[in-house]
């Protein structure tokens, strides 16, 4: 179709049909807000020390003195050793296991499977396994969505995410937990991308901007804000995961209310199905549709495309490597770091989610009225500066450091939201989900190593901020080399794509 938006202009911008599609698709993103972030609480490490068995005949004073004192790496204050205890002759490892502080968490995977000391490397690996699943989902779901349709991929992966979260509750070991977490990662990114592209293609230009920036993101943020509330009342990790899995079953009825993308149907030559959806939309909007919406002689089904076609567009490397990887590392590292901040872990997680809400509103405003390149440059560059400033803050100004970290989180969240919508504008209908998926897939190498950026705190508290801040500032400068899509129609074929000046 030469001009899909002109042919469907009779529907208007904001009728009942558009409102239903907008809010229902946003609603499907809600579980993603807590789906990847509950690991912050599930895998938090409680205070712990070597267990002194009850049968050992020691007085209370000797028990208290059996754990040696070590210098705390951050403040230099003496603290009880987490991995050693005194024996009768020398220092020894925790041969009888560990005892954990139960004042904050009844149980976490750390305390249940003793992922501390020699096994502490498993904690960041757990999050990395999830992001490996996200990488795999980004690779396969975009191609499946472009080949078989946005709607079916959306609901199949929603079901996958829900069922495997429920299965994870019964994990008998850390290995099984990680295996299910991998599949959850596949489902989460897949349903997000399918919903994102489906809304982008169905909604008109003005509403599309609000949907692809503030819409899906605000619902994601709302799910993220609910997470610390669940975690506060469900202190056992199995109960928490069970509570987070149940809302997914509420999405089953939405199958009958969310349509397939007419744009995608046209790209497959399925004109009658596309027209049926648009006529139903006109009926809901109380509008009389034209007798002929699409002239069959003007509609040609596009040949099947895959990621190999996308890789021929060599400049995708600019987006995937310089932008997506940077925002992915910074966003997930700062989100996963909330448990390490000074103060209450639940409040810090809520604060981290709360700062995202105005960031999503700002991303919508910038996407609505500002240049795409300048929007990315300003948010990435300023976010990088905020994180670099943390190095200059005295160690005793903890709350000032947290403020700058949250300002950095605000900036990178805005950039992440913009880069999703920006990428969807640059690539054509026949490859749009594959393109977003490919960029997302490339960025997952960043999210996989993001937990290890936090792990660097054990060597230097400021090192993660220096690395992330430098990368964000550099990527902000490189974003000025990308093409401008502000005010341009969505391309439908590869021939309609803009050239990349950089």
């Amino acid at each position: 179709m030469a001009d899909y938006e002109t042919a469907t202009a009779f529907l208007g911008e904001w009728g009942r049909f558009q409102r239903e599609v907008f809010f229902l698709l946003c609603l499907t993103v809600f579980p993603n807000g807590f789906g990847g972030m509950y690991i912050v609480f599930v895998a938090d490490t409680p205070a712990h020390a070597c267990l002194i068995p009850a049968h050992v005949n020691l007085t209370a004073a000797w028990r208290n003195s059996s754990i040696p004192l070590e210098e705390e790496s951050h403040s230099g204050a003496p603290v009880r050793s987490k991995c050693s205890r005194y024996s009768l002759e020398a220092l020894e490892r925790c041969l009888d296991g560990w005892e954990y502080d139960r004042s904050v968490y009844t149980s976490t995977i750390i305390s249940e499977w003793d992922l501390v000391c020699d096994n502490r490397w498993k904690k960041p690996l757990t999050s990395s396994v999830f992001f490996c699943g996200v990488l795999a989902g980004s690779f396969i779901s975009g191609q499946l969505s472009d080949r078989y349709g946005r709607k079916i991929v959306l609901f199949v992966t929603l079901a996958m995410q829900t069922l495997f979260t429920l299965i994870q509750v019964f994990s008998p070991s850390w290995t099984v937990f990680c295996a299910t977490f991998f599949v959850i990662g596949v489902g989460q990114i897949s349903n997000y991308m399918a919903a994102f592209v489906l809304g982008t293609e169905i909604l008109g230009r003005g509403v599309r901007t609000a949907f692809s920036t503030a819409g899906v993101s605000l619902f994601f943020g709302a799910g993220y804000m609910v997470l610390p509330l669940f975690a506060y009342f469900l202190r056992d990790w199995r109960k928490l995961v069970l509570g987070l899995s149940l809302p997914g079953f509420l999405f089953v009825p939405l199958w009958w209310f969310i349509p397939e993308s007419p744009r995608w149907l046209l790209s497959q030559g399925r004109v009658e199905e596309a027209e049926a959806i648009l006529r139903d939309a006109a009926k809901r909007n109380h509008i009389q549709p034209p007798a002929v919406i699409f002239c069959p002689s003007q509609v040609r089904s596009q040949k099947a495309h895959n990621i190999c076609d996308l890789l021929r567009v060599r400049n995708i490397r600019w987006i995937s490597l310089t932008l997506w990887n940077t925002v992915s590392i910074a966003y997930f590292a700062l989100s996963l770091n909330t448990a390490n901040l000074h103060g209450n872990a639940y409040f810090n997680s809520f604060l981290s989610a709360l700062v995202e809400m105005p960031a999503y509103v700002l991303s919508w405003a910038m996407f609505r009225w500002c240049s795409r390149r300048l929007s990315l440059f300003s948010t990435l560059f300023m976010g990088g500066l905020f994180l670099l400033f943390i190095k200059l803050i005295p160690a005793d100004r903890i709350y000032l450091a947290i403020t700058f970290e949250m300002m950095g989180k605000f900036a990178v969240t805005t950039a992440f939201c913009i880069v999703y919508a920006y990428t969807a504008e640059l690539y054509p209908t026949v490859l749009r989900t594959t393109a977003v998926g490919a960029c997302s897939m490339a960025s997952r190498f960043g999210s996989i190593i993001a937990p290890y950026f936090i792990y660097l705190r054990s060597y230097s508290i400021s090192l993660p901020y220096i690395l992330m801040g430098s990368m964000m500032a550099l990527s902000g400068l490189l974003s000025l080399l990308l093409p401008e899509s502000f005010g341009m129609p969505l391309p439908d074929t590869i021939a309609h794509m803009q050239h990349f000046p950089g």
Side-chain angles (χ1 to χ4, degrees), residues 30-349:
F30 182 82
N32 291 20
F34 49 74
M37 295 302 174
Y38 64 76
I39 196 66
V40 170
F41 300 104
V42 167
D44 197 9
T45 304
H48 56 278
C50 293
L51 176 66
I52 308 298
H55 63 80
V56 177
N57 188 21
L58 291 178
T59 65
W62 275 106
R63 282 180 175 274
N64 291 333
S65 301
S66 62
I67 305 298
L69 295 179
E70 297 176 347
E71 186 177 284
E72 210 272 331
S73 58
H74 305 324
S75 64
V79 295
R80 300 177 75 198
S81 173
K82 296 179 174 63
C83 302
S84 304
R85 69 183 187 187
Y86 288 116
S87 67
L88 293 178
E89 297 180 358
L91 203 63
E92 66 181 10
R93 310 301 290 172
C94 299
L95 302 180
D96 298 296
W98 289 261
E99 56 181 352
Y100 295 90
D101 178 14
R102 307 288 178 178
S103 62
V104 179
Y105 305 104
T106 304
S107 171
T108 69
I109 65 169
I110 305 298
S111 61
E112 181 164 335
W113 295 313
D114 290 331
L115 307 183
V116 294
C117 299
D118 291 342
N119 284 325
R120 64 180 179 175
W121 58 271
K122 292 182 179 179
K123 178 180 176 178
L125 181 60
T126 306
S127 297
S128 294
V129 168
F130 170 82
F131 290 117
C132 285
V134 174
L135 186 152
S138 301
F139 178 73
I140 62 174
S141 65
Q143 297 179 77
L144 292 175
S145 181
D146 282 334
R147 183 174 291 267
Y148 299 109
R150 285 57 164 130
K151 179 179 176 178
I152 190 167
V153 171
L154 169 63
F155 283 93
V156 167
T157 53
L158 265 173
M160 179 191 303
Q161 181 181 350
T162 300
L163 291 175
F164 275 86
T165 304
L166 185 61
I167 292 170
Q168 191 177 54
V169 176
F170 306 99
S171 300
S173 65
W174 174 76
T175 304
V176 175
F177 181 94
C178 287
T180 55
F181 211 24
F182 177 89
V183 181
I184 292 168
V186 172
Q188 188 187 68
I189 190 62
S190 301
N191 82 63
Y192 182 90
M193 287 197 306
F196 180 87
V197 174
L198 183 55
T200 300
E201 293 182 346
I202 291 179
L203 300 170
R205 183 178 299 175
V207 181
R208 178 197 311 145
T209 299
F211 171 82
S212 60
T213 52
V216 289
S217 301
L218 285 171
F219 276 75
F220 176 92
Y224 189 6
M225 291 175 69
V226 166
L227 172 62
L229 183 66
F230 270 77
Y232 182 80
F233 290 104
L234 301 172
R235 303 294 182 99
D236 179 272
W237 77 264
R238 293 182 188 273
K239 292 179 181 177
L240 174 59
V241 175
L242 176 61
L244 296 176
S245 70
L246 297 179
F249 292 97
L250 300 177
F251 293 102
V252 174
L254 299 189
W255 172 268
W256 289 275
F257 295 94
I258 295 176
E260 181 56 90
S261 165
R263 277 182 183 267
W264 177 80
L265 290 170
L266 282 177
S267 73
Q268 305 300 304
R270 294 157 64 176
V271 183
E272 293 181 0
E273 294 175 61
E275 285 204 356
I277 291 172
L278 295 171
R279 293 187 187 282
D280 180 64
K283 182 179 179 181
R284 293 194 210 179
N285 288 355
H286 304 291
I287 293 171
Q288 182 63 39
V292 177
I293 300 177
F294 303 112
C295 180
S297 62
Q298 292 180 294
V299 178
R300 296 181 182 178
S301 61
Q302 300 291 325
K303 68 168 186 163
H305 291 278
N306 55 43
I307 198 169
C308 295
D309 298 301
L310 189 63
L311 292 177
R312 296 189 184 102
V313 185
R314 65 180 180 85
N315 290 294
I316 192 174
R317 293 190 293 271
W318 278 106
I319 294 181
S320 61
L321 296 181
T322 63
L323 297 181
W324 282 76
N325 261 306
T326 298
V327 295
S328 182
I329 289 173
Y331 176 82
F332 287 106
L334 292 175
S335 298
L336 295 173
N337 191 46
T338 53
N340 297 318
L341 299 179
H342 181 78
N344 185 280
Y346 302 103
F347 176 76
N348 289 335
S349 178

Side-chain angles (χ1 to χ4, degrees), residues 414-487:
T414 307
F416 213 162
C417 193
I418 290 172
V419 78
Y420 252 104
Y422 183 31
T423 303
E425 282 190 345
L426 289 177
Y427 290 94
T429 301
V430 293
L431 276 171
R432 185 165 293 115
T433 316
T434 301
V436 175
C439 290
S440 178
M441 178 186 68
S443 76
R444 296 313 150 189
F445 293 104
S447 58
I448 287 169
I449 65 174
Y452 292 95
F453 271 69
I454 305 305
Y455 193 69
L456 292 175
R457 286 174 56 91
S458 58
Y459 301 101
S460 170
I461 292 182
S462 59
L463 183 57
Y465 302 117
I466 293 173
L467 293 175
M468 289 187 289
S470 301
M471 291 172 62
M472 287 181 65
L474 177 61
S475 294
L477 292 171
L478 290 175
S479 67
L480 295 173
L481 299 175
L482 293 169
E484 183 57 68
S485 61
F486 179 54

